[in-house]
Amino acid sequence: MKRRDVLRGVGVAAAAAGLAACGQQGAAAGSGKSDVQLQWKMVTSWPTNFPGLGSGAARLAERITQATGGRITVKVFGSGELVPPFEVFDAVSRGTAEIGHTAAYYWKGKAAAAPFFCTVPFGLNAQEMNGWLRFGGGMELWRELYAPFNLVPFAAGNTGVQLAGWFRKPINSVADLQGLKMRIPGLGGDVLQALGGVPVNLPGAEIFTSLQSGAIDAAEWVGPYNDLAFGLHRVAKYAYYPGWQEPGPTLEAMFNKTAFDALPDDLKAIIDACCAAVNDEMLAEYTARNQQALDNLVREHDTQLRRLPDDVLVALKRSADAVLENLAASDPFARKVYDSLRTFRAQAQAWHSVSEEAYFQARR
Ligand code: CA
């Protein structure tokens, strides 16, 4: 606690210094570009340089530092270095750090609607998330949800559709989900539980040993690129797809609203562009790396790659609809967000049935 209090004190002092610097800049605004020099901290929910997610955070920090010509210098702290992974929201909210790189579905306990801005089971894919956030009203709702917490969110990364997970035994029917102990966090876990499974929430670092010891029967993590690095194929033979539980999670960059609002308009625009660039770049990285990793898993490590049976997917979808409906019924703002997302999903699905989906089928 002592250390945390010290860190909190430092954070408040730094935030105050940052605001003072912005104030000086404000006074000099008429003379063109500001000479503001801000030292900002970015806290993340990922280990430093963790492939994809951690490297996305690092690239965002680099881009902001470079694109602002050093007017904002961003230093990244991996999970646990300044605050634990699941305290990023509070740390940025109170100004211990000015930026957080994390995922909105971790904050369901703060705001029931939060998961909709990352991913929900059978929700939007990456392309659709970007459409909803930018042109479907999603971003306005996200900003409205986070404003009372003194936060400004931006989309800053996406993994694309994940794998359904790694299983020690094959899944041939819905009955095989009965009693299945699976590492699957959040709403995906609620969906599994409704079908008789036993969801377990474990941090990434504990997945391998838990699968190895048989403490769990299955685990979802990210996709081939990250899962290969974790060695999950060495403790579970079957890789199942598609990742119904996380069809295109948006990673978020959250900014302390007091610090962000004090910036001159050019720096706000630069930050917006840097987040958009990283949002695009992370998906590109996963798109490029996932299949290389999957080839390696199947060819070199005898991973059994399987599609979840249709009846299992149908049951999961039905369960997901009920779980999302319950979430919406629990909170008026969650209801508003779910209605917006569901309307957009129906539109996107209609368009994608004659564009992306039809094209993928034609290209086979
Ligand atoms: Ca996942």
Side-chain angles (χ1 to χ4, degrees):
M1 279 309 291
K2 269 186 179 170
R3 180 164 180 268
R4 184 179 299 170
D5 288 342
V6 169
L7 290 174
R8 187 176 300 174
V10 170
V12 168
L19 289 173
C22 279
Q24 286 161 14
Q25 177 279 322
S31 61
K33 278 203 174 170
S34 68
D35 57 358
V36 60
Q37 294 283 328
L38 299 174
Q39 311 281 326
W40 277 10
K41 298 185 195 73
M42 178 192 287
V43 289
T44 73
S45 298
W46 336 113
T48 306
N49 291 326
F50 184 73
L53 307 177
S55 50
R59 285 179 188 142
L60 179 60
E62 276 170 30
R63 279 180 184 277
I64 293 174
T65 302
Q66 284 175 358
T68 62
R71 285 193 288 160
I72 305 176
T73 303
V74 182
K75 180 171 166 48
V76 183
F77 295 86
S79 63
E81 289 178 11
L82 190 58
V83 296
F86 299 133
E87 286 184 22
V88 168
F89 188 97
D90 286 339
V92 179
S93 175
R94 69 178 175 243
T96 299
E98 291 79 7
I99 314 175
H101 193 269
T102 179
Y105 61 9
Y106 295 141
W107 319 124
K108 183 163 166 276
K110 307 279 181 194
F116 291 112
F117 300 104
C118 176
T119 190
V120 295
F122 295 95
L124 306 177
N125 72 5
Q127 197 174 344
E128 293 164 347
M129 274 301 287
N130 289 332
W132 178 58
L133 289 173
R134 289 181 173 271
F135 294 98
M139 184 54 81
E140 289 80 359
L141 290 168
W142 199 2
R143 296 261 158 96
E144 189 181 340
L145 182 69
Y146 275 23
F149 298 97
N150 197 35
L151 294 169
V152 183
F154 290 81
N158 200 303
T159 68
V161 180
Q162 301 197 349
L163 280 177
W166 293 82
F167 296 74
R168 287 158 59 91
K169 292 179 185 164
I171 300 295
N172 296 318
S173 69
V174 178
D176 289 334
L177 301 178
Q178 280 292 327
L180 183 83
K181 276 200 242 172
M182 180 169 183
R183 184 273 176 188
I184 175 169
L187 297 171
D190 295 344
V191 170
L192 180 70
Q193 191 164 32
L195 294 174
V198 183
V200 179
N201 196 1
L202 293 173
E206 290 175 31
I207 296 175
F208 180 89
T209 49
S210 299
L211 265 178
Q212 189 176 39
S213 70
I216 55 175
D217 308 307
E220 75 84 49
W221 177 226
V222 183
Y225 177 38
N226 286 145
D227 299 357
L228 174 66
F230 261 19
L232 300 186
H233 57 284
R234 293 195 278 126
V235 285
K237 185 176 176 185
Y238 302 94
Y240 274 91
Y241 67 92
W244 57 272
Q245 79 288 4
E246 297 197 27
T250 290
L251 287 314
E252 65 183 0
M254 51 166 68
F255 289 75
N256 176 276
K257 192 170 185 303
T258 311
F260 184 83
D261 287 351
L263 293 176
D265 287 347
D266 64 331
L267 291 185
K268 285 179 183 164
I270 288 170
I271 283 174
D272 184 75
C274 289
C275 289
V278 169
N279 193 51
D280 170 75
E281 193 172 50
M282 190 187 293
L283 182 63
E285 183 179 7
Y286 276 104
T287 302
R289 305 266 190 246
N290 268 332
Q291 189 52 36
Q292 293 168 354
L294 189 58
D295 274 346
N296 185 337
L297 286 164
V298 172
R299 289 181 189 167
E300 307 294 328
H301 299 287
D302 295 324
T303 289
Q304 297 290 307
L305 179 66
R306 297 191 178 183
R307 184 177 187 275
L308 284 170
D310 283 337
D311 61 331
V312 172
L313 286 169
V314 166
L316 289 167
K317 171 70 167 55
R318 197 174 296 138
S319 173
D321 287 344
V323 164
L324 294 178
E325 186 51 45
N326 283 342
L327 176 60
S330 74
D331 176 84
F333 200 81
R335 160 64 64 203
K336 191 170 159 184
V337 176
Y338 184 40
D339 286 349
S340 168
L341 184 132
R342 202 164 39 170
T343 301
F344 190 88
R345 183 176 63 179
Q347 281 177 24
Q349 188 150 322
W351 167 238
H352 279 168
S353 71
V354 300
S355 57
E356 307 297 326
E357 195 178 338
Y359 173 68
F360 282 150
Q361 283 172 5
R363 192 172 61 180
R364 283 182 185 282

